[in-house]
Amino acid sequence: ESKADAEKQLNLEYGNAKKRIDAEYSASPADLQSYTTTLIDTQRGWLKYRDGQCNLESFMAEKGTITHDTLTDKCVARIDLERVAQLKSIPYE
């Protein structure tokens, strides 16, 4: 998978998870708000983790080089696809 393809899948599954949460908790606005806020906060934390991890994995290559960019892109794609799998199971039963 390319980074661009993985990013598209990530955005799609994030949106799908939000739609499932909306459907699951439509009868309980307070729970819906709480779950949605938790998802947003978790996603932001996950993005920070992903970016930090990929910085670690590409650290040995000089920034701005093809090697650095390739290492970063492969890392982002790999970790995005791991998150896609997690998002597919939200809301957790």
Side-chain angles (χ1 to χ4, degrees):
E1 288 285 332
S2 73
K3 177 184 172 186
D5 290 340
E7 293 277 285
K8 285 180 190 173
Q9 286 186 48
L10 178 67
N11 291 328
L12 177 67
E13 287 307 326
Y14 181 75
N16 288 342
K18 287 177 82 171
K19 289 176 190 172
R20 290 191 301 273
I21 291 167
D22 287 346
E24 183 72 25
Y25 293 97
S26 61
S28 177
D31 287 341
L32 174 59
Q33 179 64 40
S34 180
Y35 206 127
T36 301
T37 298
T38 302
L39 174 66
I40 292 166
D41 290 347
T42 301
Q43 189 69 8
R44 287 180 181 149
W46 174 84
L47 286 166
K48 187 174 180 178
Y49 156 78
R50 181 201 66 187
D51 293 346
Q53 181 63 34
C54 292
N55 282 337
L56 285 173
E57 292 186 22
S58 63
F59 189 82
M60 56 87 161
E62 185 178 342
K63 285 188 177 185
T65 64
I66 292 172
T67 302
H68 183 274
D69 294 348
T70 299
L71 289 170
T72 300
D73 290 355
K74 285 183 176 185
C75 176
V76 168
R78 184 188 80 246
I79 294 178
D80 279 359
L81 294 177
E82 291 169 1
R83 183 64 174 164
V84 165
Q86 293 170 346
L87 290 170
K88 286 182 177 186
S89 65
I90 293 175
Y92 295 111
E93 296 298 319

